[in-house]
Amino acid sequence: MIWNTIESASREEIEAIQLKRLQETARRVYALNPFYKEKFEERGITPEDIRSLEDLQRLPFTRKQDLRDHYPFGLFCVPMREVVRIHSSSGTTGKPTVVGYNAHDMEVWNEVMARVYTMSGVGAEDVVHNAYGYGLFTGGLGFHYGAEKVGATVVPASGGFTDRQLMLMRDFGATVLACTPSFALHLAEVAAKAGSEFRKDYKLKVGIFGAEPTSEGLKKEVAKAWGIEYREVYGLSEIIGPGVSCSCSHSDRLHIFEDHFLPEIIDPETGEVLPDGERGELVITTLTKQALPIIRYRTGDITSLVKEPCGCGRAMVRMESIVGRADDMLIVNGVNVYPSQVEHVIANTEGVTLNYQIIAEKKGHLDKLEIMVEVSEEIMSDNVGELERIRKALQESLLNNLYINALVKLVEPNTIERSMGKAVRVVDKRR
Ligand SMILES: [Zn+2]
């Protein structure tokens, strides 16, 4: 099922809509917000210079810091009397980032969330147990109104209170679980205390998960623990909240609702736009937002895009599940390395744990990479042959999968330096 026929429109149709909406958005920010007007002027351009989608590259980037610098409402493009909703980040480090919506923006948000639900096979017959946090965070309310729009029954459970959540899920017959993957796993672990047959007490068929970086291993674990389909949703409050993209029944990649959000992939170092298929930083321009339109927002998230139509019937561009953060990227002898990719390889290697440390050093003019990994408790540290076999397998796997030539060192459990209980992932001695 597809919520809106635009999702299966041809590339030409989509691009025609994108260009028209990009021109409108450029005119809006230029006319209504001094920050954007000044940025356009610095580059010697006006909205009239946007004649093709390629011209997007001439527009300036917007960064999280720009939102902070104009705290709280400085980047809004409508008068406050038109704003109907405010959301905000927790702002644990410095000023929070504040976002606003007018009535039209709320419709856009509900529309894209309706697409997410429909893509996940959710409709009027379903009961959505929504355990995303309600409040300043966009998760709770974003999932809430989208569910109402498709006619589902929403249970606004919000976070916490595990036992009560499980009781509500059982008693109200939840068929859909919406929450973070780690909370879904926690719920399953507690539910499993009732015995190995616990799943028969629940009617769950699908989970719509997001809001935190998630390894492939964790996704599989969550799907298996509940015996449900795993759908991944991506979003960020600066763009709209949840509902920027979602995975479908045919692909692990997430369809971006590109009639509302125009994506680009750039080299995070140079800002240069990269071709389809290459990994880099996701940059998004909103095409229909009015209260807080945003031009070329640097998400900091690393992914890649493919434009081939999908088996589900949708033609909208698909992004890879986020592979890392641009801030974490290491450049080793000219190759971009993301700790999350290294983690993925380690997760698929037997005999080692996910407690690892990547150490980058300079040897002469070359970069040298060493990866320390703690072995599992059950591996006997005196079995030299076995250890060497594991070490070599991991080293080869890194080379074959990521094209990185790293020296792998296996260490005893609990020997890698911890910070806040977690192993310190990256030590870059070149800086
Ligand atoms: Zn699809």
Side-chain angles (χ1 to χ4, degrees):
M1 281 275 288
I2 292 180
W3 177 257
N4 189 324
T5 50
I6 185 76
E7 294 173 72
S8 47
S10 71
R11 177 97 342 242
E12 294 71 41
E13 281 175 80
I14 290 172
E15 287 185 355
I17 292 170
Q18 286 177 329
L19 178 59
K20 186 171 155 276
R21 291 181 172 177
L22 174 63
Q23 289 167 330
E24 282 165 10
T25 300
R27 281 197 291 272
R28 167 172 282 268
V29 298
Y30 186 81
L32 299 174
N33 196 288
F35 163 79
Y36 280 112
K37 186 162 196 283
E38 197 182 313
K39 295 262 267 189
F40 277 45
E41 278 167 357
E42 273 169 23
R43 296 192 150 216
I45 48 169
T46 68
E48 278 58 51
D49 293 317
I50 307 298
R51 296 194 189 90
S52 71
L53 284 178
E54 284 68 50
D55 289 331
L56 174 61
Q57 296 180 30
R58 301 174 65 186
L59 296 180
F61 291 119
T62 308
R63 290 177 166 80
K64 197 179 197 72
Q65 190 58 42
D66 295 320
L67 285 155
R68 290 202 182 112
D69 290 347
H70 296 83
Y71 173 88
F73 309 136
L75 294 191
F76 286 16
C77 291
V78 294
M80 283 309 284
R81 62 174 303 280
E82 217 186 278
V83 174
V84 299
R85 177 88 68 79
I86 297 285
H87 280 285
S88 158
S89 68
S90 56
T92 40
T93 51
K95 289 279 190 199
T97 45
V98 179
V99 298
Y101 307 75
N102 68 1
H104 164 86
D105 300 333
M106 294 310 303
E107 272 174 35
V108 171
W109 195 6
N110 297 342
E111 158 73 20
V112 291
M113 281 309 295
R115 294 183 193 179
V116 164
Y117 279 112
T118 309
M119 206 183 280
S120 308
V122 179
E125 311 299 319
D126 287 292
V127 176
V128 177
H129 186 89
N130 185 9
Y132 282 108
Y134 280 66
L136 282 170
F137 167 60
T138 50
L141 291 173
F143 272 87
H144 183 99
Y145 287 106
E148 287 190 356
K149 194 170 171 79
V150 299
T153 308
V154 200
V155 181
S158 199
F161 308 104
T162 308
D163 289 327
R164 195 189 64 181
Q165 301 248 7
L166 289 168
M167 181 187 79
L168 298 178
M169 284 164 69
R170 280 192 309 266
D171 295 352
F172 297 174
T175 54
V176 184
L177 176 60
C179 62
T180 60
S182 50
F183 191 60
L185 196 59
H186 172 68
L187 284 170
E189 278 164 4
V190 176
K193 286 183 184 158
S196 59
E197 297 287 293
F198 76 96
R199 286 183 206 89
K200 69 172 169 29
D201 299 332
Y202 298 85
K203 291 190 178 142
L204 284 187
K205 59 176 192 183
V206 64
I208 311 177
F209 303 113
E212 65 187 14
T214 314
S215 68
E216 289 305 312
L218 179 61
K219 286 180 204 170
K220 285 200 184 93
E221 225 179 307
V222 170
K224 201 173 147 212
W226 278 111
I228 56 174
E229 272 194 58
Y230 190 108
R231 290 304 160 76
E232 180 174 6
V233 69
Y234 172 78
L236 57 172
S237 63
E238 296 89 331
I239 301 304
I240 198 145
V244 171
S245 64
C246 183
S247 63
C248 66
S249 53
H250 280 67
S251 168
D252 291 341
R253 283 179 169 262
L254 291 73
H255 287 282
I256 299 178
F257 303 118
E258 53 176 327
D259 52 331
H260 295 289
F261 316 113
L262 181 54
E264 298 170 273
I265 297 293
I266 63 162
D267 181 320
E269 288 293 300
T270 64
E272 199 185 312
V273 175
L274 299 174
D276 288 344
E278 276 191 37
R279 273 190 183 148
E281 182 179 349
L282 177 66
V283 170
I284 298 177
T285 300
T286 64
L287 295 174
T288 47
K289 287 260 299 292
Q290 295 182 351
L292 182 62
I294 203 153
I295 301 284
R296 304 192 84 197
Y297 186 69
R298 305 269 308 242
T299 66
D301 289 323
I302 301 295
T303 182
S304 64
L305 301 177
V306 294
K307 289 202 176 117
E308 289 95 64
C310 177
C312 73
R314 291 175 182 81
M316 301 223 143
V317 66
R318 280 172 291 155
M319 58 183 263
E320 207 180 354
S321 183
I322 302 302
V323 296
R325 293 280 307 165
D327 321 334
D328 296 338
M329 185 183 79
L330 282 167
I331 303 177
V332 181
N333 297 322
V335 177
N336 296 349
V337 178
Y338 300 102
S340 54
Q341 290 177 281
V342 173
E343 184 165 318
H344 185 64
V345 172
I346 295 173
N348 284 308
T349 308
E350 306 242 343
V352 291
T353 68
L354 281 176
N355 293 314
Y356 65 91
Q357 186 168 69
I358 303 169
I359 303 152
E361 276 178 290
K362 265 279 183 253
K363 266 276 160 74
H365 292 296
L366 288 180
D367 297 320
K368 208 177 116 273
L369 211 56
E370 186 181 293
I371 299 174
M372 267 204 296
V373 190
E374 291 180 5
V375 295
S376 315
E377 297 277 358
E378 57 272 21
I379 298 289
M380 300 297 289
S381 58
D382 50 359
N383 188 339
V384 181
E386 173 71 355
L387 285 174
E388 181 58 13
R389 191 191 60 75
I390 296 171
R391 196 192 72 75
K392 270 196 168 152
L394 180 54
Q395 203 163 283
E396 274 167 24
S397 193
L398 287 164
L399 184 62
N400 296 335
N401 291 295
L402 307 179
Y403 312 108
I404 56 174
N405 205 340
L407 176 71
V408 170
K409 270 192 186 164
L410 298 183
V411 296
E412 297 279 324
N414 298 311
T415 47
I416 291 173
E417 178 193 353
R418 302 286 202 272
S419 166
M420 317 268 279
K422 274 185 156 180
V424 176
R425 298 290 187 226
V426 179
V427 177
D428 196 341
K429 296 183 177 169
R430 301 169 303 175
R431 285 170 189 157

